[in-house]
Amino acid sequence: MTNYLTYMYLLTPLHTGGSSNEGNMMGIAREIHTEFPYLPASSLRGKIRSELEHIHSEEAKIFFGHKIENGQQPTEGEVWFADATLLFFPIASVSHHLIWITCPLWLERWNRWLDKAPLQPLITQCRQILSGQKSAGVSFNSEKLYLQAALLSKSDIEKIDVTTLSKLLLPITSAGGIISQIAEKLVILTDEDCIALVETGLQREVRVALEEKSKTVKGGSFRSEEAIPPETVLFFPWGMKPAKETSKTVNIRTSTPQILNEKLQFGGLEGLGRGWADLKTIIPNKEDTP
């Protein structure tokens, strides 16, 4: 089996679609045990399948599995996808304009899929720092650090070496642009502080419908929409199982990694330009490649 790791760098806000709404709030999908936003594997799989069906319609039925149609029973496919979870989240900072936050939980999830777990020393160091008198580990020198409404003084933070992490990020930073600054403007917080800052850092927009002639608000038309902001980095592992009949899926097996190195649109509100992401795919452990 060949396993891959795909990074999603959000170019526009991502609305993932929640399982329920509270009042007039259109919520987003959240992990039940952490409350962190995420992109469900079913959404990923559906979008990727849709793209590939336009290119290899017959091969897609075997590769992804037959759907329930015309009395036909579904079949197991030859590809799998996991949920896309947060890795680096952008936060406004009065002192540094824009920084990215992460936490040991996100780094541990990432580390599980990397060859030889290279981030374990960094994760252990961060756990030790954050369990003591420090509130954050940072990749830069700073006298004061503003994280939205929070202020961290020099005594609250400790500089850490992120050289290994920086090298691992080359697939998404080597192209340049603002994302290339991520290793230089990185803050590692406790899991709990990350939850709080992500909640306040989500993009929320209020929408109303207007009367056609008077341009006044229609009754009961008010609603708010949540979205994961642009500049966020998520990742998801996926893999291709051995082909049952190689000749029947040879083309789609070549096209899938190619498509996952392009720009794709995920989630809902596509008409409003939501969900555009720049994708970069790597093989995390080449020893697994047949």
Side-chain angles (χ1 to χ4, degrees):
M1 178 183 294
T2 304
N3 292 329
Y4 297 84
L5 198 62
T6 297
Y7 299 104
M8 300 179 61
Y9 170 47
L10 297 188
L11 305 176
T12 62
L14 172 65
H15 178 80
T16 57
S19 57
S20 63
N21 295 334
E22 296 182 8
N24 290 329
M25 173 64 76
M26 284 182 61
I28 55 180
R30 295 173 182 269
E31 298 174 351
I32 191 169
H33 60 307
T34 67
E35 288 295 311
F36 283 129
Y38 77 109
L39 179 59
S42 56
S43 296
L44 283 169
R45 183 185 180 91
K47 175 62 177 183
I48 296 165
R49 177 171 187 155
S50 175
E51 291 290 323
L52 289 167
E53 281 179 335
H54 291 299
I55 308 171
H56 311 290
S57 58
E58 291 304 314
E59 290 191 15
K61 296 176 182 178
I62 301 172
F63 191 58
F64 287 91
H66 288 278
K67 299 177 181 179
I68 302 177
E69 56 184 3
N70 300 324
Q72 185 178 17
Q73 292 299 310
T75 59
E76 182 179 357
E78 298 175 359
V79 63
W80 63 271
F81 295 90
D83 299 330
T85 58
L86 294 173
L87 184 54
F88 302 105
F89 191 86
I91 291 290
S93 170
V94 174
S95 56
H96 295 80
H97 179 230
L98 178 70
I99 56 94
W100 283 267
I101 62 172
T102 188
C103 60
L105 175 61
W106 297 354
L107 295 178
E108 285 175 354
R109 289 177 171 181
W110 184 24
N111 198 44
R112 293 169 192 165
W113 295 97
L114 298 173
D115 185 22
K116 300 177 182 177
L119 291 174
Q120 194 55 54
L122 176 62
I123 295 169
T124 300
Q125 180 189 10
C126 291
R127 290 284 190 195
Q128 292 172 347
I129 291 173
L130 298 175
S131 64
Q133 300 299 316
K134 305 294 183 178
S135 299
V138 298
S139 63
F140 49 87
N141 294 313
S142 180
E143 295 294 324
K144 291 183 179 180
L145 174 61
Y146 287 87
L147 298 175
Q148 293 183 337
L151 169 61
L152 300 180
S153 63
K154 190 173 183 178
S155 60
D156 296 320
I157 60 181
E158 183 171 326
K159 187 177 180 182
I160 55 177
D161 184 358
V162 295
T163 302
T164 300
L165 183 147
S166 181
K167 291 179 180 178
L168 292 169
L169 286 176
L170 285 176
I172 59 174
T173 59
S174 59
I178 191 172
I179 193 62
S180 64
Q181 304 173 17
I182 192 168
E184 303 166 9
K185 303 180 74 172
L186 183 64
V187 178
I188 303 177
L189 304 167
T190 64
D191 300 341
E192 295 77 13
D193 286 343
C194 245
I195 292 173
L197 284 173
V198 166
E199 187 61 31
T200 58
L202 290 174
Q203 183 167 315
R204 294 181 175 89
E205 295 183 357
V206 177
R207 299 194 179 279
V208 295
L210 300 179
E211 296 287 355
E212 184 176 349
K213 295 182 179 180
S214 65
K215 300 302 181 183
T216 57
V217 178
K218 290 182 179 180
S221 64
F222 163 84
R223 75 178 189 277
S224 296
E225 297 170 354
E226 282 186 330
I228 303 172
E231 320 310 333
T232 299
V233 178
L234 302 92
F235 79 95
F236 62 92
W238 62 280
M240 292 189 284
K241 305 172 187 177
K244 297 176 182 177
E245 295 183 59
T246 306
S247 61
K248 292 187 176 182
T249 56
V250 62
N251 296 311
I252 199 170
R253 286 174 174 271
T254 301
S255 297
T256 303
Q258 292 175 349
I259 279 190
L260 293 177
N261 273 296
E262 299 177 359
K263 293 182 178 66
L264 285 181
Q265 195 174 17
F266 297 93
L269 305 178
E270 292 185 353
L272 299 178
R274 297 292 186 265
W276 278 106
D278 192 9
L279 307 179
K280 300 298 179 185
T281 297
I282 65 168
I283 299 177
N285 186 348
K286 292 186 178 181
E287 293 178 0
D288 291 342
T289 306

